[in-house]
Amino acid sequence: MYPPSRKDFISLTLSDPHSHSYNNGKHRRQSCWRKWKQLSRLQRSLILFLLALLLIFGLLSYPSLSEQWRGLSDRDEWLELNDRELDAVLPAVRPVLGQHVGKAPVPVVGPHVGPAVGPDAGPVIRLDAGPVIRPDGGPVIRPDAGPVIHPDAGPVFRPDAGPVIHPDAGPVFRPDAGPVFRPDAGPVIRPDAVVEPRGPIVPILPKPPIKKYLFSNKRGPPSLQKEGNMSDTVGGEKKEQEVVQDEGEEEEEDKDKKIVSWRGAMIEADQATEPPPSANDKGAAAPPAPVNPADSVPLEVSPGPVDRLETVRDAFRHAWKGYKSYAWGHDELRPISKSFSEWFGLGLTLIDSLDTMWILGLKEEFAEAKNWVDNELNFNKNVDVNLFETTIRVLGGLLSAYHLSGDQLFFEKAKDLGSRLMPAFKTPSKIPFSDVNIGKGTAHPPRWTTDSTLAEVTSIQLEFRELSRLTQDPQYQDVANEVMRLVHKLPGKHDGLVPMFINTNSGQFSHKGVLTLGARADSYYEYLLKQWIQGGKTEEDLLEDYLQAIEGVKKHLVRHTGPNGLTFVGELNHNRFNPKMDHLVCFLPGTLALGVHNGLPEDHMDLAVQLMETCHQMYTQMETGLSPEIVHFSLQASDSRDIIVKPADRHNLLRPETVESLFYMYRFTKDTKYRDWGWDILQSFNNYTKVLDGGYTSINNVRDPTNPGPRDKMESFFLVTSTQTVRQRAIY
């Protein structure tokens, strides 16, 4: 049993006859002090530290709280002033959209992005972003300020609304184009869009009051809190208030305003995200039409004509802008991280794009690239390069630039590179090694095998043969033709179909079990025909191999899907059919059409038309409108879909094969549907692979339009996608 607690004092109260009282509270206060003294030094120090911390926090937060209280007071005063001077409230003003609004917007894709409205449906409002400042000094748009346009909602627009394209630059948002990527995942902003709140608003006074009240919004970094064109939002359904300014001042200030993203991006309001066009390509676009506030019902926009050629130029300029800004002189652009990657250190993207710039009439960009080739491109370096990739991208790029421009610089560079690639052919079998050191003059196979890929060693002939024709030196053509003669005589073909590998020591086919028109074999079949045409249709061995191969394809690899009868080209794996087709196989429709155009059997065109439809379906049946790298086809009529895409095959690398075939098919048939299909593909690239700050990126998942997963790489061949055929025609 515990003893009774000890009392340190007795509380006593006394009173006298005059009602004066006395108590011994002083002793109790002394007792509290005694208990404080009983605490350890550490305990007392901790309590004092916490009290000091609270005091400092209170002092720091006082200015912010007082400013907010003043802002609320000013806001109430301003609202009261408006209520006294106005008798009516204007109805809400709806957004003005661009003239080319044809479908429901799609969400912005990129890291840390919330739902958004596509750029063809007015400004994009990020639900998780801070306020977006309007360049015209209008209200701050905040996702929680009144109704937000939902990504699935139909657009509201006016038929008299003109295009929202800046007159001094290529359009940022093309017709029907969806959202673009931002590497920093900031909100996407249209500098020329006119947006007003959709709910009840406080009207703008005809003449501003004498005193101007600015409501400071404290969201976002202090460095981005601009003075003079911001408004505050208050409450659950916070209403937006406009900053009242003199009309003359407003016009002057608009010239210097910037659009500010709370994520840190800053875009000049008078600039598009594209680089300035060439001097001959600049053109003014119509400004947005004025808004009638009395309109309250959505009307239809009547779409105007679209300059597709200019849109292609704009796409190239945008890709070139990213390369020039972040990867100049390097092999490939990484547009998301705003950096570059090196493969051979030869400026692959720049050289691969020379002919494209010339064909598109981008003379300023061409001159910049030519200056780099003249002053910076140097092949005397200790670096291993892939024979095939260097030939088709660098040697081919230089030769085509020479043919188009006639500039001797490109011819001299091509001759220098061609001579440095020759050591690759010094093998026991005359089948070239895959890798060559252009500085040391040595060559070797890959470290893991002595084999070379058949497609690689049989797809360098166009450039080497042309180099001999230009230099009048037969050595380049001789080594290239020798490879084709060896392959022509080799045993192991299956009705003209060839294996994927060939040994550089023995000169014989290896790994004979797989027969495909996809990776590692595709361009062998393509270059058989093109070499035959380049040589004046006189080399019968090439024609024989090509015709025999097409018959083998029709006999062994062509099948039809069960659900809708799509024609496709599969693979043979140890005599077992596999309904698998690479996107690379989509070179075949164009090649077949090219053969028919040059006098080969007409039934090849029938197969070309069927395969072109299948390649088109590989795009249209995907949610993003972009084809995956590999597809499988269903042979069962009971299945609901023709095309099956496995998770590991859903990526898109910005490949050109389908677009090239569409080019051939349109040129030879004059059927405009092929041109329209190519246009649709360009729009899908703009919707899901375009990076706001420049460039395009390959993506990981063509089945997920909300998160396609950018891979942060723009292949060099993307910039020649629309002109690949023109380059080959220039060579042969």
Side-chain angles (χ1 to χ4, degrees):
M1 204 176 159
Y2 296 103
S5 59
R6 175 185 173 187
K7 295 183 186 258
D8 293 329
F9 63 89
I10 299 175
S11 177
L12 179 64
T13 301
L14 301 176
S15 60
D16 60 13
H18 301 287
S19 299
H20 294 108
S21 61
Y22 165 81
N23 63 57
N24 63 344
K26 179 178 180 181
H27 297 284
R28 289 197 298 272
R29 287 192 294 272
Q30 291 176 347
S31 175
C32 293
W33 174 252
R34 187 180 300 112
K35 288 186 176 181
W36 168 258
K37 296 292 289 183
Q38 289 175 353
L39 295 175
S40 67
R41 180 174 297 178
L42 177 62
Q43 290 172 326
R44 292 196 301 269
S45 299
L46 181 60
I47 292 173
L48 291 174
F49 173 76
L50 291 176
L51 291 175
L53 191 63
L54 288 174
L55 178 61
I56 294 172
F57 178 78
L59 293 174
L60 291 176
S61 61
Y62 175 76
S64 176
L65 293 175
S66 62
E67 187 175 350
Q68 289 185 12
W69 292 334
R70 286 198 303 270
L72 290 176
S73 176
D74 291 344
R75 183 173 183 269
D76 293 338
E77 183 180 346
W78 186 70
L79 292 174
E80 184 179 353
L81 175 63
N82 279 352
D83 290 340
R84 289 198 305 267
E85 295 189 7
L86 295 176
D87 296 326
V89 176
L90 296 176
V93 181
R94 299 186 179 273
V96 176
L97 305 185
Q99 64 175 351
H100 303 294
V101 180
K103 55 185 179 182
V106 291
V108 171
V109 183
H112 313 296
V113 241
V117 178
D120 55 351
V124 178
I125 300 176
R126 282 275 309 278
L127 298 183
D128 58 351
V132 178
I133 300 176
R134 283 189 41 200
D136 56 356
V140 173
I141 306 300
R142 285 182 49 182
D144 53 357
V148 177
I149 301 176
H150 192 275
D152 298 328
V156 181
F157 46 81
R158 289 175 43 78
D160 54 351
V164 284
I165 301 173
H166 195 276
D168 296 330
V172 181
F173 302 101
R174 277 161 291 282
D176 303 326
V180 293
F181 287 117
R182 284 269 318 264
D184 55 357
V188 181
I189 304 170
R190 289 191 37 185
D192 47 5
V194 179
V195 179
E196 298 293 344
R198 295 187 58 184
I201 62 171
V202 176
I204 303 174
L205 295 175
K207 294 292 182 181
I210 296 174
K211 184 177 180 181
K212 182 163 50 179
Y213 295 92
L214 303 179
F215 305 134
S216 175
N217 191 315
K218 294 301 178 183
R219 292 183 64 183
S223 61
L224 298 181
Q225 294 172 2
K226 295 183 66 179
E227 297 293 335
N229 66 338
M230 300 180 64
S231 64
D232 196 21
T233 55
V234 181
E237 286 291 320
K238 300 179 182 179
K239 299 180 180 180
E240 301 159 0
Q241 308 295 332
E242 290 206 2
V243 178
V244 182
Q245 294 180 328
D246 184 76
E247 294 178 1
E249 294 176 358
E250 201 171 37
E251 292 176 359
E252 287 294 322
E253 291 177 5
D254 281 348
K255 298 178 181 178
D256 301 323
K257 281 180 179 149
K258 293 180 179 179
I259 297 172
V260 179
S261 158
W262 293 126
R263 302 279 180 175
M266 187 172 292
I267 305 172
E268 295 293 340
D270 61 348
Q271 294 177 352
T273 57
E274 312 278 34
S278 300
N280 297 331
D281 297 324
K282 291 182 181 179
V291 180
N292 182 0
D295 292 341
S296 58
V297 292
L299 302 174
E300 284 191 354
V301 165
S302 62
V306 177
D307 187 344
R308 292 185 174 183
L309 177 58
E310 191 59 33
T311 302
V312 173
R313 286 195 184 102
D314 291 334
F316 181 92
R317 288 191 194 102
H318 188 79
W320 186 254
K321 171 192 173 184
Y323 176 77
K324 182 179 177 181
S325 300
Y326 309 117
W328 183 251
H330 298 284
D331 285 343
E332 292 173 329
L333 167 67
R334 300 184 65 187
I336 303 298
S337 59
K338 299 181 181 179
S339 59
F340 59 85
S341 61
E342 291 286 37
W343 195 359
F344 310 135
L346 298 178
L348 292 184
T349 297
L350 186 148
I351 298 176
D352 221 358
S353 307
L354 287 168
D355 53 357
T356 305
M357 290 183 281
W358 184 273
I359 293 167
L360 293 178
L362 304 177
K363 302 302 173 61
E364 294 177 9
E365 291 84 351
F366 183 87
E368 291 175 336
K370 175 193 168 184
N371 184 64
W372 183 88
V373 171
D374 189 14
N375 297 306
E376 302 295 335
L377 182 59
N378 178 23
F379 299 125
N380 187 23
K381 55 173 61 179
N382 181 17
V383 59
D384 283 353
V385 301
N386 179 271
L387 172 66
F388 167 69
E389 298 290 354
T390 305
T391 298
I392 65 171
R393 302 190 196 210
V394 184
L395 183 58
L398 292 170
L399 288 173
S400 57
Y402 169 67
H403 277 291
L404 292 167
S405 69
D407 196 312
Q408 195 72 12
L409 167 68
F410 301 116
F411 170 65
E412 295 298 332
K413 292 289 186 180
K415 186 168 61 173
D416 181 20
L417 177 60
S419 63
R420 294 175 181 274
L421 295 176
M422 289 296 288
F425 295 90
K426 295 179 180 179
T427 66
S429 65
K430 308 299 183 183
I431 300 297
F433 288 128
S434 63
D435 300 320
V436 56
N437 189 301
I438 57 176
K440 293 181 176 180
T442 59
H444 58 85
R447 293 182 178 86
W448 57 89
T449 180
T450 58
D451 293 340
S452 287
T453 300
L454 185 72
E456 292 188 356
V457 301
T458 58
S459 301
I460 56 178
Q461 279 68 24
L462 290 181
E463 292 81 2
F464 274 81
R465 285 154 57 115
E466 180 62 13
L467 189 57
S468 280
R469 189 186 72 82
L470 293 174
T471 62
Q472 296 298 302
D473 185 347
Q475 65 168 328
Y476 308 108
Q477 177 171 310
D478 289 346
V479 294
N481 286 347
E482 180 64 20
V483 175
M484 300 309 299
R485 283 193 290 268
L486 291 172
V487 173
H488 172 71
K489 296 184 296 184
L490 276 181
K493 297 179 183 177
H494 189 58
D495 290 332
L497 303 178
V498 295
M500 296 188 297
F501 297 98
I502 188 169
N503 190 273
T504 56
N505 292 324
S506 66
Q508 300 295 314
F509 291 129
S510 59
H511 306 283
K512 300 179 181 180
V514 178
L515 299 175
T516 177
L517 262 68
R520 303 185 185 278
D522 53 338
S523 52
Y524 162 74
Y525 304 99
E526 175 187 4
Y527 275 60
L528 285 173
L529 175 67
K530 292 178 178 179
Q531 289 177 73
W532 177 69
I533 297 172
Q534 183 192 41
K537 306 178 185 178
T538 60
E539 298 163 281
E540 295 300 322
D541 288 351
L542 296 172
L543 178 60
E544 177 186 339
D545 288 346
Y546 174 74
L547 292 175
Q548 188 178 14
I550 298 304
E551 292 305 310
V553 168
K554 292 194 289 186
K555 179 179 179 180
H556 299 289
L557 303 183
V558 172
R559 294 287 191 280
H560 303 280
T561 62
N564 294 295
L566 293 179
T567 302
F568 69 95
V569 177
E571 298 180 352
L572 280 182
N573 191 340
H574 298 280
N575 293 320
R576 183 175 181 178
F577 183 77
N578 182 8
K580 165 184 172 287
M581 178 170 159
D582 294 359
H583 182 274
L584 291 167
V585 181
C586 287
F587 82 89
L588 188 55
T591 301
L592 291 169
L594 179 62
V596 174
H597 181 70
N598 284 275
L600 298 187
E602 289 290 336
D603 65 317
H604 287 194
M605 182 59 80
D606 297 333
L607 180 58
V609 170
Q610 296 168 18
L611 290 175
M612 194 75 262
E613 173 64 31
T614 301
C615 291
H616 175 235
Q617 291 298 321
M618 289 167 61
Y619 282 80
T620 59
Q621 291 193 25
M622 301 301 113
E623 287 77 359
T624 59
L626 295 173
S627 172
E629 179 72 0
I630 299 171
V631 299
H632 290 74
F633 293 93
S634 173
L635 301 176
Q636 304 299 321
S638 58
D639 289 346
S640 59
R641 297 179 66 101
D642 294 282
I643 298 176
I644 302 166
V645 184
K646 297 182 178 180
D649 303 331
R650 293 178 177 178
H651 52 286
N652 180 285
L653 302 181
L654 313 177
R655 289 198 182 275
E657 289 77 20
T658 295
V659 174
E660 181 181 352
S661 285
L662 288 171
F663 175 84
Y664 280 121
M665 295 298 290
Y666 171 69
R667 281 295 182 92
F668 298 146
T669 68
K670 306 303 181 185
D671 191 335
T672 58
K673 75 177 182 182
Y674 298 119
R675 186 171 59 183
D676 294 337
W677 291 355
W679 174 255
D680 293 340
I681 292 174
L682 176 60
Q683 298 310 301
S684 295
F685 278 134
N686 281 333
N687 288 349
Y688 297 101
T689 72
K690 184 178 180 182
V691 180
L692 180 65
D693 294 315
Y696 292 75
T697 177
S698 52
I699 58 176
N700 280 319
N701 191 354
V702 298
R703 303 303 304 268
D704 188 351
T706 60
N707 184 24
R711 296 165 67 98
D712 195 18
K713 184 177 183 180
M714 185 178 78
E715 300 279 357
S716 74
F717 51 67
F718 178 74
L719 290 176
V720 297
T721 294
S722 60
T723 55
Q724 187 88 336
T725 301
V726 183
R727 167 188 293 184
Q728 292 166 344
R729 292 179 67 187
I731 293 177
Y732 63 76

Short mmCIF file of all heavy atoms in Angstrom, two decimals, residues 504-536:
data_model
loop_
_atom_site.label_atom_id
_atom_site.label_comp_id
_atom_site.label_asym_id
_atom_site.label_seq_id
_atom_site.Cartn_x
_atom_site.Cartn_y
_atom_site.Cartn_z
N THR A 504 31.15 -15.32 -92.32
CA THR A 504 32.16 -14.55 -93.05
C THR A 504 33.40 -15.38 -93.38
O THR A 504 34.19 -14.98 -94.25
CB THR A 504 32.58 -13.32 -92.22
OG1 THR A 504 33.02 -13.75 -90.92
CG2 THR A 504 31.42 -12.36 -92.06
N ASN A 505 33.59 -16.50 -92.72
CA ASN A 505 34.74 -17.36 -93.01
C ASN A 505 34.44 -18.34 -94.14
O ASN A 505 35.19 -18.45 -95.10
CB ASN A 505 35.17 -18.12 -91.76
CG ASN A 505 35.76 -17.21 -90.70
OD1 ASN A 505 36.46 -16.24 -91.03
ND2 ASN A 505 35.50 -17.51 -89.44
N SER A 506 33.32 -19.04 -94.02
CA SER A 506 32.97 -20.06 -95.02
C SER A 506 32.17 -19.50 -96.18
O SER A 506 32.13 -20.11 -97.26
CB SER A 506 32.17 -21.18 -94.36
OG SER A 506 30.91 -20.69 -93.90
N GLY A 507 31.49 -18.39 -95.96
CA GLY A 507 30.64 -17.84 -97.01
C GLY A 507 29.35 -18.61 -97.19
O GLY A 507 28.66 -18.42 -98.20
N GLN A 508 28.97 -19.44 -96.22
CA GLN A 508 27.77 -20.26 -96.31
C GLN A 508 26.68 -19.73 -95.37
O GLN A 508 26.98 -19.06 -94.37
CB GLN A 508 28.09 -21.71 -95.92
CG GLN A 508 29.14 -22.37 -96.80
CD GLN A 508 28.68 -22.52 -98.24
OE1 GLN A 508 27.56 -22.96 -98.51
NE2 GLN A 508 29.55 -22.17 -99.18
N PHE A 509 25.42 -20.06 -95.71
CA PHE A 509 24.32 -19.70 -94.83
C PHE A 509 24.47 -20.42 -93.49
O PHE A 509 24.97 -21.55 -93.43
CB PHE A 509 22.98 -20.09 -95.44
CG PHE A 509 22.59 -19.26 -96.65
CD1 PHE A 509 22.21 -19.89 -97.83
CD2 PHE A 509 22.61 -17.88 -96.60
CE1 PHE A 509 21.85 -19.14 -98.93
CE2 PHE A 509 22.25 -17.12 -97.70
CZ PHE A 509 21.87 -17.76 -98.87
N SER A 510 24.04 -19.77 -92.42
CA SER A 510 24.01 -20.39 -91.09
C SER A 510 22.66 -20.13 -90.45
O SER A 510 21.90 -19.26 -90.90
CB SER A 510 25.15 -19.84 -90.22
OG SER A 510 25.03 -18.43 -90.08
N HIS A 511 22.34 -20.90 -89.43
CA HIS A 511 21.05 -20.78 -88.73
C HIS A 511 19.90 -20.85 -89.75
O HIS A 511 19.09 -19.93 -89.88
CB HIS A 511 20.97 -19.46 -87.94
CG HIS A 511 22.11 -19.26 -86.98
ND1 HIS A 511 22.18 -19.91 -85.78
CD2 HIS A 511 23.23 -18.51 -87.07
CE1 HIS A 511 23.29 -19.55 -85.15
NE2 HIS A 511 23.94 -18.70 -85.92
N LYS A 512 19.83 -21.96 -90.43
CA LYS A 512 18.92 -22.08 -91.56
C LYS A 512 17.47 -22.34 -91.19
O LYS A 512 16.61 -22.41 -92.06
CB LYS A 512 19.39 -23.22 -92.48
CG LYS A 512 20.79 -23.00 -93.04
CD LYS A 512 21.21 -24.17 -93.93
CE LYS A 512 22.61 -23.98 -94.47
NZ LYS A 512 23.05 -25.11 -95.34
N GLY A 513 17.17 -22.45 -89.92
CA GLY A 513 15.83 -22.87 -89.53
C GLY A 513 14.75 -21.83 -89.72
O GLY A 513 13.57 -22.16 -89.88
N VAL A 514 15.08 -20.53 -89.68
CA VAL A 514 14.08 -19.47 -89.70
C VAL A 514 14.10 -18.76 -91.05
O VAL A 514 15.15 -18.30 -91.51
CB VAL A 514 14.31 -18.45 -88.57
CG1 VAL A 514 13.29 -17.33 -88.63
CG2 VAL A 514 14.27 -19.15 -87.22
N LEU A 515 12.93 -18.66 -91.67
CA LEU A 515 12.75 -17.93 -92.93
C LEU A 515 11.75 -16.81 -92.68
O LEU A 515 10.61 -17.06 -92.28
CB LEU A 515 12.25 -18.86 -94.04
CG LEU A 515 13.17 -20.04 -94.40
CD1 LEU A 515 12.50 -20.95 -95.43
CD2 LEU A 515 14.52 -19.54 -94.92
N THR A 516 12.19 -15.58 -92.91
CA THR A 516 11.34 -14.43 -92.60
C THR A 516 11.62 -13.29 -93.57
O THR A 516 12.70 -13.23 -94.17
CB THR A 516 11.60 -13.95 -91.15
OG1 THR A 516 10.82 -12.78 -90.89
CG2 THR A 516 13.08 -13.61 -90.95
N LEU A 517 10.66 -12.40 -93.71
CA LEU A 517 10.88 -11.14 -94.41
C LEU A 517 11.02 -10.00 -93.42
O LEU A 517 11.00 -8.83 -93.81
CB LEU A 517 9.73 -10.86 -95.37
CG LEU A 517 9.99 -11.25 -96.84
CD1 LEU A 517 10.07 -12.76 -96.97
CD2 LEU A 517 8.90 -10.70 -97.75
N GLY A 518 11.17 -10.34 -92.14
CA GLY A 518 11.33 -9.33 -91.10
C GLY A 518 12.79 -9.02 -90.85
O GLY A 518 13.63 -9.03 -91.76
N ALA A 519 13.10 -8.71 -89.59
CA ALA A 519 14.44 -8.27 -89.21
C ALA A 519 15.50 -9.28 -89.64
O ALA A 519 15.30 -10.49 -89.55
CB ALA A 519 14.50 -8.05 -87.70
N ARG A 520 16.63 -8.79 -90.12
CA ARG A 520 17.83 -9.52 -90.53
C ARG A 520 17.73 -10.15 -91.92
O ARG A 520 18.70 -10.74 -92.40
CB ARG A 520 18.23 -10.60 -89.50
CG ARG A 520 18.45 -10.05 -88.10
CD ARG A 520 18.96 -11.14 -87.16
NE ARG A 520 19.06 -10.66 -85.80
CZ ARG A 520 20.07 -9.95 -85.31
NH1 ARG A 520 21.08 -9.64 -86.09
NH2 ARG A 520 20.08 -9.56 -84.06
N ALA A 521 16.57 -10.05 -92.56
CA ALA A 521 16.45 -10.58 -93.92
C ALA A 521 15.70 -9.64 -94.85
O ALA A 521 15.78 -9.77 -96.06
CB ALA A 521 15.75 -11.94 -93.89
N ASP A 522 14.98 -8.67 -94.32
CA ASP A 522 14.02 -7.88 -95.09
C ASP A 522 14.61 -7.19 -96.31
O ASP A 522 14.13 -7.35 -97.44
CB ASP A 522 13.37 -6.83 -94.18
CG ASP A 522 14.38 -5.98 -93.41
OD1 ASP A 522 15.53 -6.42 -93.26
OD2 ASP A 522 14.02 -4.87 -92.98
N SER A 523 15.67 -6.40 -96.12
CA SER A 523 16.14 -5.57 -97.22
C SER A 523 16.89 -6.36 -98.29
O SER A 523 17.16 -5.83 -99.37
CB SER A 523 17.01 -4.43 -96.69
OG SER A 523 18.04 -4.93 -95.85
N TYR A 524 17.23 -7.62 -98.04
CA TYR A 524 17.79 -8.46 -99.11
C TYR A 524 16.82 -8.52 -100.28
O TYR A 524 17.21 -8.31 -101.45
CB TYR A 524 18.08 -9.87 -98.59
CG TYR A 524 18.23 -10.90 -99.69
CD1 TYR A 524 19.38 -10.93 -100.50
CD2 TYR A 524 17.23 -11.84 -99.94
CE1 TYR A 524 19.51 -11.87 -101.51
CE2 TYR A 524 17.35 -12.78 -100.94
CZ TYR A 524 18.49 -12.79 -101.73
OH TYR A 524 18.61 -13.72 -102.75
N TYR A 525 15.57 -8.78 -100.00
CA TYR A 525 14.56 -8.90 -101.06
C TYR A 525 14.29 -7.53 -101.71
O TYR A 525 14.12 -7.44 -102.93
CB TYR A 525 13.27 -9.47 -100.48
CG TYR A 525 13.47 -10.80 -99.79
CD1 TYR A 525 13.58 -10.88 -98.40
CD2 TYR A 525 13.57 -11.98 -100.52
CE1 TYR A 525 13.78 -12.10 -97.77
CE2 TYR A 525 13.76 -13.21 -99.89
CZ TYR A 525 13.88 -13.26 -98.52
OH TYR A 525 14.08 -14.46 -97.90
N GLU A 526 14.27 -6.49 -100.91
CA GLU A 526 14.02 -5.15 -101.43
C GLU A 526 15.13 -4.70 -102.37
O GLU A 526 14.87 -4.15 -103.46
CB GLU A 526 13.91 -4.18 -100.24
CG GLU A 526 13.77 -2.72 -100.61
CD GLU A 526 13.83 -1.81 -99.40
OE1 GLU A 526 14.05 -2.31 -98.27
OE2 GLU A 526 13.66 -0.59 -99.58
N TYR A 527 16.38 -4.97 -102.02
CA TYR A 527 17.49 -4.47 -102.81
C TYR A 527 17.77 -5.32 -104.05
O TYR A 527 18.47 -4.88 -104.97
CB TYR A 527 18.74 -4.36 -101.94
CG TYR A 527 18.81 -3.06 -101.18
CD1 TYR A 527 17.82 -2.70 -100.27
CD2 TYR A 527 19.86 -2.19 -101.36
CE1 TYR A 527 17.88 -1.52 -99.58
CE2 TYR A 527 19.94 -0.99 -100.67
CZ TYR A 527 18.93 -0.66 -99.78
OH TYR A 527 19.00 0.52 -99.10
N LEU A 528 17.24 -6.53 -104.10
CA LEU A 528 17.33 -7.29 -105.35
C LEU A 528 16.67 -6.50 -106.48
O LEU A 528 17.24 -6.33 -107.56
CB LEU A 528 16.65 -8.65 -105.18
CG LEU A 528 17.39 -9.71 -104.37
CD1 LEU A 528 16.49 -10.93 -104.18
CD2 LEU A 528 18.70 -10.12 -105.05
N LEU A 529 15.45 -6.04 -106.23
CA LEU A 529 14.73 -5.29 -107.26
C LEU A 529 15.40 -3.95 -107.55
O LEU A 529 15.57 -3.56 -108.72
CB LEU A 529 13.28 -5.07 -106.81
CG LEU A 529 12.43 -4.20 -107.73
CD1 LEU A 529 12.20 -4.90 -109.07
CD2 LEU A 529 11.10 -3.84 -107.07
N LYS A 530 15.80 -3.23 -106.52
CA LYS A 530 16.33 -1.88 -106.73
C LYS A 530 17.70 -1.91 -107.41
O LYS A 530 18.02 -1.00 -108.19
CB LYS A 530 16.37 -1.14 -105.39
CG LYS A 530 14.97 -0.85 -104.86
CD LYS A 530 14.97 -0.16 -103.52
CE LYS A 530 13.53 0.14 -103.09
NZ LYS A 530 13.48 0.79 -101.76
N GLN A 531 18.50 -2.92 -107.14
CA GLN A 531 19.77 -3.04 -107.88
C GLN A 531 19.51 -3.34 -109.35
O GLN A 531 20.21 -2.84 -110.24
CB GLN A 531 20.62 -4.16 -107.27
CG GLN A 531 21.21 -3.83 -105.91
CD GLN A 531 21.99 -5.01 -105.35
OE1 GLN A 531 23.09 -5.31 -105.82
NE2 GLN A 531 21.42 -5.69 -104.37
N TRP A 532 18.50 -4.16 -109.59
CA TRP A 532 18.16 -4.49 -110.98
C TRP A 532 17.74 -3.24 -111.75
O TRP A 532 18.15 -3.02 -112.89
CB TRP A 532 17.05 -5.55 -110.98
CG TRP A 532 16.55 -5.91 -112.35
CD1 TRP A 532 17.23 -6.60 -113.31
CD2 TRP A 532 15.27 -5.62 -112.89
NE1 TRP A 532 16.44 -6.77 -114.43
CE2 TRP A 532 15.23 -6.17 -114.19
CE3 TRP A 532 14.14 -4.96 -112.41
CZ2 TRP A 532 14.12 -6.08 -115.02
CZ3 TRP A 532 13.02 -4.87 -113.22
CH2 TRP A 532 13.02 -5.41 -114.51
N ILE A 533 16.95 -2.39 -111.11
CA ILE A 533 16.53 -1.14 -111.75
C ILE A 533 17.71 -0.20 -111.89
O ILE A 533 17.90 0.44 -112.93
CB ILE A 533 15.40 -0.49 -110.93
CG1 ILE A 533 14.17 -1.39 -110.89
CG2 ILE A 533 15.03 0.87 -111.50
CD1 ILE A 533 13.08 -0.91 -109.95
N GLN A 534 18.54 -0.09 -110.85
CA GLN A 534 19.70 0.80 -110.89
C GLN A 534 20.64 0.43 -112.02
O GLN A 534 21.24 1.30 -112.67
CB GLN A 534 20.45 0.75 -109.55
CG GLN A 534 21.64 1.70 -109.46
CD GLN A 534 22.50 1.41 -108.25
OE1 GLN A 534 22.75 0.25 -107.92
NE2 GLN A 534 22.95 2.45 -107.56
N GLY A 535 20.79 -0.86 -112.27
CA GLY A 535 21.70 -1.33 -113.32
C GLY A 535 21.11 -1.33 -114.71
O GLY A 535 21.68 -1.96 -115.61
N GLY A 536 20.00 -0.68 -114.90
CA GLY A 536 19.40 -0.61 -116.23
C GLY A 536 18.63 -1.86 -116.61
O GLY A 536 18.41 -2.11 -117.82
#
